[in-house]
Amino acid sequence: MTAETLTVRGACPHDCPDTCALITTVENGVAIKVHGNPAHRHTDGVLCTKVSRYAERNPPCRALLQPMRRTGPKGSGQFEPISWDEALDTIAARLGAIAARDPQAILPYSYAGTMGWCKASRWPRVSSTAWAPRCSTGPSAPPPAAK
């Protein structure tokens, strides 16, 4: 069998502000090397320690192909397979419950991360409607004007 080697351009999956550009070498469907894109002007091709060893730390045999729900105590390794719809519904319900109780508890999920400019360009809309009013009505801020 002949090895098929591809070069795939992508973005780092971590939720940090750099949104590093990656170049991944894929051989027969398996990522064998990940390095930064030298044309990415924010990082000049430099990756953090976590991502620079991504191919080594994430072998294909460890890939999660189906969502799993924990059935035993944390750390017990007890899981059951569930559907993608059930997994997404469960996550949405849990995040919704957290947001209803304390919206600021899920604020980190609103940062730019891998969405880069697309998501970051929406930040003013989010901050002006959800986060900023909470910050501007703190104990030292004047009460909102009556309407």
Side-chain angles (χ1 to χ4, degrees):
M1 179 163 100
T2 340
E4 181 187 358
T5 304
L6 301 169
T7 300
V8 179
R9 295 178 186 275
C12 176
H14 291 217
D15 190 22
C16 62
D18 291 337
T19 315
C20 297
L22 306 179
I23 297 177
T24 305
T25 304
V26 179
E27 192 171 278
N28 293 323
V30 176
I32 59 167
K33 180 172 171 65
V34 176
H35 60 277
N37 186 339
H40 187 247
R41 64 183 176 162
H42 299 296
T43 60
D44 289 328
V46 176
L47 297 177
C48 68
T49 304
K50 292 181 220 171
V51 178
S52 65
R53 299 185 63 197
Y54 198 82
E56 294 171 46
R57 295 180 316 132
N58 295 287
C61 60
R62 292 183 56 204
L64 182 63
L65 303 176
Q66 180 176 6
M68 306 288 276
R69 176 182 19 234
R70 189 176 68 233
T71 58
K74 216 174 202 180
S76 69
Q78 298 173 313
F79 295 91
E80 67 180 2
I82 59 174
S83 71
W84 285 103
D85 286 339
E86 186 177 1
L88 292 172
D89 289 345
T90 300
I91 292 166
R94 291 179 75 179
L95 283 174
I98 293 168
R101 184 180 70 246
D102 181 13
Q104 292 180 348
I106 60 170
L107 183 62
Y109 292 101
S110 298
Y111 292 152
T114 58
M115 298 299 285
W117 180 250
C118 295
K119 190 171 180 185
S121 66
R122 292 191 179 112
W123 179 248
R125 177 179 55 84
V126 172
S127 64
S128 66
T129 59
W131 184 65
R134 289 182 132 337
C135 294
S136 63
T137 58
S140 61
K147 291 185 179 184

